[in-house]
Structures are given as C-alpha cells and as structure tokens.
Amino acid sequence: MSIKQISVFVENKAGALLAITSVLAANGIDMRALALSEASDFGIGRMIVSDVYAATTVLKDAGFIHSISPVLAVAIPNVPGGLNEVLKVLSTEGVNVEYMYAFQGKASEDAYMVFKVADDIHAASVLRDHGIRLANEEDLARL
Amino acid sequence: MAERYFQPEIETMPREQLKALQDERLVAQVRHVWENVPYYRKKMEEKGLTPDDIKGTEDLHKLPFLSKADLREAYPYGLMGAPLKDCVRIQSTSGTTGKRVVAFYTQADINLWEDCCARAIVAAGGSNESVCQVSYGYGLFTGGPGLNGGSHKVGCLTIPTSSGNTERQIMFIMDLQATILCCTPSYAAYLGESMKEMGLTPDQIPLKAGIFGAEAWSEEMRQSIQDTLGIKAFDIYGLTELSGPGVAFECSEQTGMHINEDHFIAEVIDPDTGEVLPDGVQGELVFTAITKKAFPLLRYRTRDICVLSHEKCSCGRTHVKMSKPRGRTDDMLIIRGVNVFPSQIETVLLNQGYPANYQIIVDRVRNSDTLEVQVEMTPEMFTDNLGEIAQRQKQLVDGLRSMLGLTAKVTLVAPKSIVRSEGKAVRVIDKRKI
C-alpha cells in the first residue's frame, strides 16, 4: 500500500533546487508534493511525482543523484483532530515516524500526509485496520 | 615473463662499474660547467673550489647547491651551458609556483632524455608491438615531447593525442586498441571514470599499462586507476630543470622508481642544514645532471621529499630507487602550524571509497586557518537517510583528523561539480595568499 518517493541530493547553495525543478518542468513531470530537509552543507529533496519512472530517468540523465523509498500517503480528514486520530493509531501500535510532510489533493477536500516509517507494510495494515484511508499510486494519479 | 630492458647493459650495470662511470662523468661535467657557466663558477669560487677539487662522486657534497631561486635569478640565459649554435630546443614549466623555468637542450640532451623515457616504457611492458597513446600536453610542457620521443625509440605505434578532448582520447584508445597510456594520474582517473560511464568494463578496455606522472599521487589512487582501467599503473618522475619525465621510473615491482643514475646522481639532504642523509632517511631530493650539456644543473634542489633505497630489486636493475615523493615542499600546506600534504588527504578519501576528484580549500577566518575538503557525492553513497550520510561525513572528518592531526570541514558536493583536469590537477585553493 506504499507509494514511491524520490529523494534527490541537493547542494546547499543558491539555485540548486531550481536546477532540479527545471529538469522536471522541462519534461512535463508534475510534482505532487515536495519537502526539503537539510544538514549543514547539503540537503535532501523528497518528492512525490506523477511519473516515478520518467522522473528518475530525466534526473539521472541530468546528473542528479537520487534514491527511491517507500512511504505511506495517508488521507487526513480536513476536520479538527484529523491528524491527531492518525497519530494516535500509530502511537498505540508503536510505529515510529521518521519524518512526514503534507500535501493537498487537487479534487478532494482531504489533505494527505506522507509518512516515512521503518516498516511500511506493518504501518499500512495497522492504519487500515483502524479504517484510515491510504492512497496508492493509482489514487494519486486521480488526486 | 622475463624482465625486458631498453638499455640492458646500463640498466643492470654492476654498482662498482656504475660508480666508475658516474665518477668519470661528474669530473668532466664539473669542468664543463666551470668553463661554460659563469653563474655557477662564481658559486664554486665563493666556496674556494676549482674543478680539481672534484675527483669523483665522493666529492659531490663539496659543490654548492642550485635552487629555484638561482634559476629565477639567472633567467633566461644565465645557466645555459652550451653555445647557442649547439642548442636546439627549450622546454618550460607552467610557472604555477612563480616564474617559468626555461631549460635548454642540445640534440644529444634530447637524445638522452628520450632514452630515459624509453627505459620507462619498456619497464612498463612496452615494445615495438605496443600502441602507445601520449595524452600528456605537447608543447612547452615536457610530458608530451618526452614520452613521445621515448615511444618512438621503443618503436611503439605512437598516438600523439596530447591532452584534452576526452571523447577523442577514448575513441583512439578503443579504435586503435592502444595498449599503453601516458598522462597525469588525475587525467587517467578521469578517463577511467568516463569510460566506466560509457559502460566500458576493464576487460573491454585494450590498455595494459599506464605511465603516469607530473603530479603527486597516492598508492590508493594507483589501485583505483588500475581497477577501473584494468591496467598496471607505473609511476614516472622528472622535472623540466633536469630534462623532463624519465629522470626516474617504476619497474614491475612497483616499489619505487629507479633513477637513471648514468645521467643523474641523486642525493637526499636535510632541507634545513643541507647535510647529506643516508639511505632510508626522508629528506629533500637533490640531483646532479652529469651528461646534459645545454642546461647542466649541479646539485639542484628539487624540493621533493622522498627516501632513497639501494636495496637489490627483483627486476634486475641496479640503479637506486626513490620512493614516491610525499609531495613537493611547494605543495605542502601549513595549516594552523601543521604540515599537510594533499596526498595525505587523497589517501584518506580513497580509503573510504570516495572518488579521486576532490578539492582542498584553505582560508583564514578571524586569524585562524580553516581547511575544507570538498568531495563529490556518489550514487552508491546516497541514501534517503540524512543520519547515515552525516555518519559517513563524520567518519571522513575522523579519518582526516587521525591522518593530519587537524579538524577539516567536509563538504559533500554534487557529482561532476569539481572541475576535471586534463593536465596537472589543481587540488588546492589557498585563499590565504589572496
């Protein structure tokens, strides 16, 4: 039930991120979500895109280093306490969140939260058991 | 495979015989210099010496030194030792460490220089069946002309590509099935990297040997070049002041470079006192050219730090071996009072699996020296986990600290962002001088 996230090495200098987004834009790749995290002299750009294969191919050709990791895209009802409910489930089941970031679906009212956890299969089944909706790659295409 | 030599009678000459040859040549050379180079004659007179005081190599230590400063002072014609009508060529240094050095050659000087390079090529396995690509720069730089001449003498099919245009270099290597490559080690590493990217594996690359010199390189770099190109990599040593590459070269043992002692007498001295040091003790390398006539330098201080060894070599050559120079005293950086050679940093990087391309940046911030080492991120090293990358970075900082005794800042940069060199690599940017 996981989706694929692309992580790209980004140098910590002006224009580094632009270089990446330019490549994606020029190749018509839609970025659904992007989060940056940084160490002192470099960072990692994490993104969910419309076409993982196309995106990684053009990034590689342009000389960017990347890796792919499984993450969970969880639908968060757009009501007070929506995220709280999800975190409560994960906490009760002892799932540690390594990092997370949010994005908004195009059509739906729901917000989505990307979760990186150590064991995505276990976390996905725990969430499903509690009736929490996860988006798969096909869902993402429609969102 | 039996060891082959270009000039077996000289390269394997018994030591006593070699010493007699050196004695005779040194005595004649001192007289030649006395009569033709007023600049040096004056230096001898200042020490109360005449040519009669030099009866053999045991008197060598009496002679005054020449240094880069002398070359600068005597520029351009002050150290020329043959009349203009006998000189046929000059070669020159890049002038990166000050004024250019201009060296002169008679036809005989060129001939002996090319012999030296030919010995290096044969020691690396070259023969008249070899296809030898010379990717050192041609022109004023000695690398191209020297190896080109040596390659001709051996009878190799010589490809004079000169430096640059990497795509064309690779095309010639592959199309003409080149078996020997001559260039700087940093360019060899770059060629290897480019060929790997093109999907060429070591067994598809026709090269068998490489003769790499003109800059300091580490044992780890040798290993990495050997692995990517599937070759045996041989070191070659020389400097323009003494002719160019081929003053010393490596044999199949790869444990140091045999100095061509029939042309150059080597000494290792204490750089501070000038005292001659015994075998096995590290010091500054000093050369006396005993056959060259147009630029006959006596006791020239190279500023290269190394060790000499007269131990018997399995290759059968009797000439003394010099260790890989630890670096020129010119390359040495003094950072917060600590002596640092770029080659030490290279050793740590390659040991930890980083690419051979790196940049060292030294600066002074609030009166304190800073050392930054930039290395390129590789796909193998990259993960989505910041912690893991930071851990690797820390490992490198620790490795550098234990090698240098200094804390360096390690910066990971994007692949291919450090400029590749086609000749001598510029590893160090010292902003303190600006």
Side-chain angles (χ1 to χ4, degrees):
Chain A
M1 230 3 221
S2 64
I3 59 167
K4 286 175 178 151
Q5 166 192 266
I6 304 174
S7 308
V8 188
F9 177 76
V10 193
E11 270 191 87
N12 189 3
K13 67 177 185 199
L17 188 59
L18 173 69
I20 295 168
T21 54
S22 304
V23 168
L24 297 177
N27 287 279
I29 290 158
D30 188 14
M31 218 190 296
R32 308 307 312 279
L34 171 69
L36 279 176
S37 72
E38 89 281 351
S40 61
D41 57 334
F42 70 94
I44 296 178
R46 298 177 171 122
M47 57 185 82
I48 308 294
V49 297
S50 55
D51 185 337
V52 175
Y53 178 75
T56 52
T57 307
V58 298
L59 284 171
K60 185 165 184 285
D61 288 348
F64 291 102
I65 290 181
H66 67 268
S67 70
I68 296 177
S69 351
V71 292
L72 301 176
V74 181
I76 312 284
N78 200 357
V79 292
L83 174 61
N84 193 50
E85 282 309 307
V86 176
L87 290 177
K88 215 186 276 174
V89 170
L90 293 175
S91 165
T92 315
E93 300 288 341
V95 176
N96 176 41
V97 178
E98 290 177 17
Y99 58 80
M100 54 192 255
Y101 52 96
F103 70 99
Q104 178 76 45
K106 261 190 246 173
S108 75
E109 279 291 290
D110 284 348
Y112 286 82
M113 190 64 83
V114 174
F115 284 94
K116 175 74 170 70
V117 295
D119 183 348
D120 58 288
I121 296 167
H122 168 68
S125 81
V126 164
L127 290 168
R128 269 201 309 266
D129 291 350
H130 287 79
I132 292 168
R133 201 156 54 77
L134 294 172
N136 59 25
E137 303 278 358
E138 284 160 36
D139 298 335
L140 273 184
R142 280 195 306 271
L143 287 174
Chain B
M1 196 181 74
E3 188 77 28
R4 289 183 308 105
Y5 315 97
F6 180 65
Q7 290 167 313
E9 69 294 346
I10 294 167
E11 293 177 62
T12 63
M13 185 179 275
R15 290 297 309 176
E16 322 76 71
Q17 208 181 321
L18 184 59
K19 183 185 178 298
L21 181 69
Q22 286 185 327
D23 287 341
E24 183 196 320
R25 288 181 169 178
L26 175 66
V27 169
Q29 182 76 326
V30 171
R31 193 159 290 282
H32 169 78
V33 170
W34 176 268
E35 284 163 6
N36 294 283
V37 186
Y39 185 92
Y40 197 79
R41 180 182 179 138
K42 189 164 161 266
K43 274 187 172 269
M44 282 178 68
E45 282 169 347
E46 276 165 12
K47 289 193 101 182
L49 291 170
T50 70
D52 294 335
D53 294 313
I54 311 299
K55 300 190 172 65
T57 47
E58 56 282 353
D59 296 324
L60 184 61
H61 70 275
K62 296 177 183 167
L63 288 169
F65 290 116
L66 280 172
S67 67
K68 205 134 187 167
D70 290 305
L71 265 53
R72 222 172 282 143
E73 202 182 316
Y75 178 88
Y77 282 116
L79 288 163
M80 194 192 230
L84 199 65
K85 69 176 173 60
D86 294 338
C87 296
V88 297
R89 188 179 321 151
I90 73 141
Q91 300 286 163
S92 180
T93 61
S94 49
T96 41
T97 54
K99 200 165 181 79
R100 280 177 180 280
V101 170
V102 170
F104 309 98
Y105 302 74
T106 63
Q107 189 54 53
D109 293 344
I110 289 180
N111 199 36
L112 73 89
W113 172 28
E114 292 178 350
D115 280 344
C116 291
C117 291
R119 291 178 196 173
I121 293 170
V122 173
S127 71
N128 54 11
E129 301 285 342
S130 305
V131 178
C132 178
Q133 182 154 322
V134 182
S135 310
Y136 280 113
Y138 280 62
L140 287 170
F141 177 52
T142 54
L147 269 310
N148 185 81
S151 177
H152 278 227
K153 287 212 167 196
V154 175
C156 306
L157 175 62
T158 309
I159 314 177
T161 44
S162 191
S163 56
N165 198 338
T166 302
E167 240 170 74
R168 191 179 62 188
Q169 299 277 0
I170 295 172
M171 183 205 85
F172 275 119
I173 291 173
M174 297 309 294
D175 290 359
L176 296 174
Q177 295 282 291
T179 51
I180 299 177
L181 173 68
C182 308
C183 61
T184 57
S186 52
Y187 194 52
Y190 179 48
L191 279 174
E193 191 184 325
S194 306
M195 289 170 98
K196 192 173 171 185
E197 260 167 33
M198 291 167 67
L200 293 167
T201 57
D203 51 309
Q204 290 171 314
I205 299 172
L207 294 170
K208 291 189 174 71
I211 300 173
F212 307 131
E215 63 189 17
W217 51 310
S218 62
E219 215 38 64
E220 290 72 18
M221 181 141 173
R222 185 212 299 272
Q223 205 51 54
S224 129
I225 293 172
Q226 292 193 149
D227 293 347
T228 28
L229 289 174
I231 60 169
K232 199 157 176 174
F234 295 85
D235 202 354
I236 186 166
Y237 174 87
L239 51 174
T240 311
E241 293 89 321
L242 294 164
S243 61
V247 170
F249 62 93
E250 235 171 14
C251 62
S252 54
E253 223 189 53
Q254 294 182 316
T255 54
M257 294 174 275
H258 290 283
I259 293 169
N260 283 311
E261 285 186 283
D262 52 326
H263 297 300
F264 307 100
I265 301 178
E267 300 167 280
V268 161
I269 62 159
D270 179 325
D272 297 323
T273 64
E275 180 201 352
V276 179
L277 300 170
D279 262 24
V281 179
Q282 179 173 288
E284 181 181 349
L285 193 54
V286 172
F287 279 109
T288 297
I290 50 176
T291 48
K292 287 172 69 223
K293 296 300 179 207
F295 205 58
L297 299 190
L298 305 182
R299 298 200 89 199
Y300 179 66
R301 295 181 60 156
T302 63
R303 306 197 215 185
D304 280 332
I305 303 293
C306 80
V307 176
L308 293 180
S309 161
H310 281 90
E311 245 172 73
K312 205 166 159 32
C313 185
S314 66
C315 77
R317 288 179 184 80
T318 51
H319 294 213
V320 67
K321 280 199 283 196
M322 60 179 272
S323 64
K324 216 177 230 314
R326 235 185 115 197
R328 290 215 165 146
T329 47
D330 315 26
D331 294 341
M332 192 182 78
L333 294 160
I334 301 178
I335 302 169
R336 276 173 254 152
V338 179
N339 296 352
V340 174
F341 286 98
S343 58
Q344 294 174 296
I345 294 175
E346 181 177 301
T347 298
V348 177
L349 290 176
L350 290 162
N351 269 337
Q352 296 197 9
Y354 289 91
N357 223 35
Y358 57 93
Q359 194 110 62
I360 298 164
I361 297 162
V362 188
D363 204 350
R364 184 161 286 156
V365 180
R366 284 189 294 273
N367 291 321
S368 174
D369 294 338
T370 58
L371 169 65
E372 178 185 353
V373 179
Q374 294 190 343
V375 275
E376 289 177 357
M377 189 62 162
T378 65
E380 297 76 38
M381 241 180 258
F382 182 67
T383 94
D384 175 52
N385 189 328
L386 270 178
E388 265 174 50
I389 301 175
Q391 185 54 39
R392 281 204 69 139
Q393 226 174 342
K394 186 180 171 295
Q395 211 174 24
L396 183 51
V397 171
D398 292 345
L400 288 169
R401 190 187 298 113
S402 69
M403 171 69 92
L404 310 172
L406 275 177
T407 304
K409 175 178 188 249
V410 168
T411 306
L412 296 169
V413 299
K416 303 274 145 129
S417 60
I418 295 173
V419 181
R420 263 56 176 175
S421 117
E422 293 173 341
K424 292 196 189 203
V426 180
R427 302 284 194 210
V428 180
I429 299 173
D430 194 338
K431 296 180 175 171
R432 295 176 299 183
K433 288 174 188 160
I434 300 163

